[in-house]
């Protein structure tokens, strides 16, 4: 049975050379950024170039690599082919506005179509990324709700375009008159704005087709062995199926491994609780590659720490007791045999006496 189970590592992602887009997502606080950073390091060892993008407003990439990143791709220190950038859709709406009075027009337009600002910002970012020749792009996404919204951006842009077209038919040349008033007809005229939105829609539709191609795109779900995280992962997997986006990798982080030397009642209780949810993960996702990562006593930050932890992504983790303490176990077995022999002799004496 074990032979039929998918490999318990992310090696399958490295082996799939056709992959262009790798999304990493899950509930907040489960270690998405650490996992996506390490995944990008692993990919950089087998790809010509890798870009990791954070789309989480609470950027942690800079903290993970201990290096400052901006909205332009920056080479990660210690690498020649790994780049990182942090994109914040909520602040980049400034890029859509013109000076002075035009600001309110464009902010009103953005407010009229919920999510259009993020969608346009995301499309602009994808447009930029497509002009660069990265072999693989890893997305460190925001918590689940934001991620699902990101996947809805093509539909949002389409809705935005149709809304603008209806505004055009209703208000005729009003936007052109306003742009002429402010002397920005070429840049912010009705046709220019619609042309720009059309261009972004084309980009995001092309990318959306790629996102739905399992040869080009996959989604890695990161979670921890607890009820809320299991629930959120199931929700995410269902939504990804709805969007026709491939997912066959789950990383279960912060796993406590049983060690007979552990005397803490709290730790033992947590292990039992985790085991219950681990069993459920394996039952629900028996056809997924499930990678288990141990809970560490320290944080994983900085390139060296990330590299050191990366081997646990490529080889199933075995706790030290079962890996290196064979001699200790043999000694314990020998001692128990002696104790058993002594007890049996004592029992015989009691029977005969």
């Amino acid at each position: 049975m074990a032979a039929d189970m998918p490999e318990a590592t992310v090696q399958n992602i490295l082996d799939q050379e056709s992959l262009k887009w790798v999304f990493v997502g899950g509930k907040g606080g489960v270690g998405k950024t650490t996992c996506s950073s390490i995944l990008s390091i692993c990919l950089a060892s087998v790809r010509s170039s890798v870009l990791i993008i954070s789309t989480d407003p609470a950027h942690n990439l800079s903290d993970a690599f201990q290096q400052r990143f901006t909205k332009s791709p920056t080479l990660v220190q210690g690498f020649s082919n790994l780049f990182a950038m942090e994109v914040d859709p909520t602040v980049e709406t400034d890029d859509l506005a013109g000076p002075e009075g035009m600001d309110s027009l464009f902010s009103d337009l953005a407010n009229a179509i919920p999510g259009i600002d993020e969608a346009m910002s995301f499309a602009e970012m994808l447009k930029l990324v497509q002009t660069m020749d990265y072999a693989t792009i890893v997305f460190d996404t925001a918590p689940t709700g934001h991620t699902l919204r990101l996947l809805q951006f093509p539909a949002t842009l389409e809705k935005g375009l149709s809304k603008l077209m209806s505004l055009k038919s209703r208000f005729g040349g009003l936007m052109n008159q306003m742009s002429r008033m402010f002397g920005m007809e070429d840049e912010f005229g009705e046709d220019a704005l619609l042309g720009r939105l059309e261009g972004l829609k084309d980009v995001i539709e092309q990318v959306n087709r790629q996102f739905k191609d399992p040869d080009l795109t996959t989604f890695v779900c990161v979670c921890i062995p607890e009820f809320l995280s299991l629930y959120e992962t199931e929700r995410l997997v269902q939504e990804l199926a709805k969007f026709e986006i491939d997912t066959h990798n789950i990383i279960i982080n912060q796993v406590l491994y049983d060690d007979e030397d552990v005397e803490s009642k709290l730790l033992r209780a947590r292990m039992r609780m985790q085991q219950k949810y681990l069993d459920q993960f394996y039952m629900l996702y028996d056809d997924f590659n499930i990678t288990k990562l141990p809970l560490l006593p320290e944080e994983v930050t900085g390139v060296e720490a990330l590299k050191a932890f990366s081997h646990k992504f490529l080889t199933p983790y075995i706790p030290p007791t079962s890996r290196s303490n064979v001699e200790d176990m043999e000694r314990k077995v020998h001692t128990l045999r002696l104790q058993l022999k002594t007890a049996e002799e004592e029992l015989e004496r009691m029977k005969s006496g």
Side-chain angles (χ1 to χ4, degrees):
M1 178 69 186
D4 299 333
M5 287 179 68
E7 190 184 11
T9 71
V10 297
Q11 185 65 48
N12 65 93
I13 295 173
L14 275 60
D15 293 342
Q16 193 179 334
E17 291 178 13
S18 63
L19 271 181
K20 170 80 173 172
W21 312 92
V22 180
F23 287 87
V24 180
K27 187 176 175 292
V30 296
K32 290 186 302 296
T33 301
T34 302
C35 290
S36 57
S37 302
I38 291 174
L39 195 53
S40 66
I41 288 173
C42 294
L43 282 163
S45 67
V46 294
R47 298 285 195 278
S48 57
S49 59
V50 176
L51 172 67
I52 178 168
I53 300 174
S54 170
T55 59
D56 186 345
H59 296 304
N60 295 313
L61 269 190
S62 295
D63 298 326
F65 284 103
Q66 293 185 336
Q67 179 184 343
R68 178 89 178 94
F69 298 121
T70 63
K71 61 180 181 178
S72 301
T74 305
L75 186 65
V76 177
Q77 288 163 9
F79 294 88
S80 59
N81 65 336
L82 176 59
F83 299 80
M85 63 189 280
E86 295 181 330
V87 180
D88 190 348
T90 54
V91 297
E92 289 186 8
T93 52
D94 296 345
D95 300 341
L96 304 177
E100 298 172 13
M102 292 299 281
D103 279 344
S104 59
L105 170 65
F106 287 101
S107 63
D108 287 349
L109 270 176
N111 291 334
I113 309 152
I116 191 71
D117 51 347
E118 284 182 295
M120 287 183 77
S121 174
F122 185 64
E124 290 280 20
M125 183 264 292
L126 289 176
K127 203 172 176 181
L128 170 72
V129 165
Q130 283 198 310
T131 62
M132 306 167 189
D133 196 24
Y134 295 105
T136 308
I137 293 151
V138 179
F139 283 94
D140 172 35
T141 68
T144 311
H146 293 268
T147 303
L148 297 177
R149 206 162 71 239
L150 177 145
L151 299 172
Q152 291 167 336
F153 282 166
T156 305
L157 271 182
E158 197 153 350
K159 186 178 172 185
L161 189 67
S162 58
K163 188 136 187 169
L164 272 181
M165 292 302 278
S166 72
L167 282 173
K168 179 184 177 182
S169 60
R170 283 170 62 194
F171 298 110
L174 176 64
M175 286 174 71
N176 279 340
Q177 286 175 28
M178 287 188 70
S179 56
R180 273 199 297 274
M181 276 169 57
F182 292 101
M184 290 174 292
E185 189 172 3
D186 293 342
E187 194 179 351
F188 289 103
E190 172 193 297
D191 294 334
L193 186 66
L194 289 172
R196 184 176 174 198
L197 203 59
E198 279 278 19
L200 292 180
K201 183 166 165 277
D202 290 345
V203 170
I204 212 161
E205 278 179 351
Q206 180 194 342
V207 169
N208 194 40
R209 279 194 297 275
Q210 292 184 18
F211 284 178
K212 291 182 177 184
D213 185 343
D215 290 334
L216 296 173
T217 304
T218 194
F219 200 108
V220 180
C221 303
V222 182
C223 55
I224 54 176
E226 293 182 8
F227 170 74
L228 282 177
S229 191
L230 173 68
Y231 173 79
E232 196 90 340
T233 303
E234 177 57 18
R235 176 183 162 219
L236 183 55
V237 168
Q238 297 286 346
E239 288 291 326
L240 290 168
K242 198 164 81 181
F243 287 116
E244 300 172 58
I245 292 173
D246 172 75
T247 179
H248 59 273
N249 277 277
I250 290 178
I251 296 175
I252 306 179
N253 198 13
Q254 301 175 20
V255 177
L256 287 163
Y257 281 85
D258 197 4
D259 184 331
E260 63 185 25
D261 295 331
V262 171
E263 294 175 5
S264 163
K265 287 182 180 177
L266 174 63
L267 277 180
R268 289 224 160 267
R270 295 287 297 178
M271 284 176 196
R272 284 194 298 273
M273 179 210 72
Q274 284 197 351
Q275 192 54 53
K276 180 176 73 172
Y277 293 115
L278 285 168
D279 291 343
Q280 289 185 35
F281 271 110
Y282 282 105
M283 188 177 68
L284 283 167
Y285 307 108
D286 56 348
D287 56 341
F288 276 59
N289 296 86
I290 297 179
T291 306
K292 288 196 299 182
L293 301 174
L295 178 67
L296 300 181
E298 70 284 331
E299 288 183 304
V300 184
T301 55
V303 171
E304 291 312 310
L306 292 167
K307 279 182 177 176
F309 195 47
S310 67
H311 74 273
K312 293 183 175 64
F313 281 61
L314 305 174
T315 351
Y317 177 71
I318 301 167
T321 45
S322 48
R323 180 177 57 217
S324 58
N325 291 5
V326 177
E327 289 178 12
D328 285 354
M329 192 58 71
E330 285 175 342
R331 274 198 299 271
K332 284 176 183 174
V333 168
H334 180 65
T335 305
L336 285 168
R337 280 178 178 154
L338 286 175
Q339 287 174 345
L340 180 62
K341 189 180 176 185
T342 307
E344 284 174 338
E345 288 171 353
E346 182 67 28
L347 181 62
E348 284 302 315
R349 275 198 303 274
M350 286 171 73
K351 282 179 177 176
S352 59

